Amino acid sequence: MPQNEYEAKFLHIDVDAVREHLRTAGAKLAFDKTMFTRLIFENDAVQGEQWLRLRDEGGKTTLTLKQVSDATTINGTTEIEIEVDNLDKTAELLKATGLRQVRYQQNYREEWQFGDITYDLDTWPDLPTFIEIEGPSEDAVRKAVANLGFDYAQARYGSIDLIYKSEVGRDILAEPTLLFGTAELSTS
């Protein structure tokens, strides 16, 4: 059964100040900056605001059905996620069932935990690092946002393609690959 994903993104942050705030508050670094790769699959039944994401999280691989019903609210995204043990074999299985791999994407993620709240510092190609705050409820996320000193009215929701559209005028849904350039890989 799909579960609501309660997460809010904040752009234009001071990454070092956020890290220091999290550290001082007692948050624990779950993992250092790690390259994530994701394969996005679609077919005639899974498309548009719904997609399958197969993601290598640097040692853990997940398969997730994501659906965005309202990208303007914190409770507008649902997901069903399972852990799988082999990215390549899972991709092969999905293709054998008629799904098409439509995108290959990379990003870096550094994750912090404090209680039941996850703080992800995400870096995507051609975007400044931003934070994604996820919790078990809207109220929990609101409290976490306030504790970091962010204005909840500035929160962004939905998928990464909306940030690319608003921030750099780029439609990444039309791009089969979204990768870091050589210079970005060497400085990350």
Side-chain angles (χ1 to χ4, degrees):
M1 176 173 197
Q3 295 184 329
N4 276 4
E5 178 181 62
Y6 296 101
E7 82 185 12
K9 297 172 185 66
F10 293 87
L11 311 180
H12 314 292
I13 64 167
D14 180 332
V15 176
D16 291 331
V18 167
R19 278 190 191 109
E20 185 56 31
H21 186 95
L22 290 170
R23 192 176 293 113
T24 302
K28 301 295 181 211
L29 181 64
F31 56 84
D32 283 317
K33 191 174 186 178
T34 302
M35 170 73 77
F36 280 25
T37 57
R38 59 183 45 72
L39 309 176
I40 306 299
F41 291 88
E42 296 179 353
N43 70 8
D44 293 339
V46 180
Q47 59 184 350
E49 295 302 313
Q50 181 173 302
W51 64 94
L52 276 171
R53 178 191 69 203
L54 179 60
R55 181 169 69 185
D56 176 350
E57 301 175 7
K60 174 182 171 185
T61 303
T62 58
L63 178 63
T64 308
L65 174 65
K66 304 224 10 141
Q67 183 167 9
V68 178
S69 59
D70 185 352
T72 65
T73 65
I74 193 167
N75 61 353
T77 301
T78 58
E79 66 179 15
I80 302 170
E81 184 171 273
I82 61 170
E83 193 169 336
V84 295
D85 67 357
N86 187 300
L87 183 113
D88 294 330
K89 286 188 185 248
T90 304
E92 186 179 329
L93 181 139
L94 294 173
K95 291 174 185 174
T97 65
L99 289 161
R100 296 179 308 278
Q101 181 184 323
V102 293
R103 284 181 290 290
Y104 175 87
Q105 303 170 329
Q106 296 176 327
N107 79 299
Y108 284 101
R109 175 168 284 178
E110 174 184 327
E111 188 167 288
W112 292 76
Q113 290 285 152
F114 188 75
D116 56 2
I117 303 294
T118 301
Y119 300 89
D120 292 324
L121 294 170
D122 281 352
T123 306
W124 287 77
D126 304 319
L127 289 179
T129 298
F130 61 89
I131 192 167
E132 192 174 85
I133 302 169
E134 184 171 359
S137 67
E138 179 177 0
D139 187 53
V141 172
R142 281 181 177 272
K143 287 177 184 171
V145 167
N147 288 340
L148 273 179
F150 292 138
D151 178 359
Y152 192 77
Q154 299 299 310
R156 302 284 296 274
Y157 313 103
S159 58
I160 189 68
D161 64 289
L162 299 175
I163 292 173
Y164 271 95
K165 282 181 188 172
S166 70
E167 298 304 302
V168 293
R170 186 169 164 187
D171 181 9
I172 64 167
L173 297 181
E175 299 177 30
T177 59
L178 179 61
L179 309 173
F180 288 99
T182 307
E184 289 175 298
L185 286 171
S186 63
T187 61
S188 295

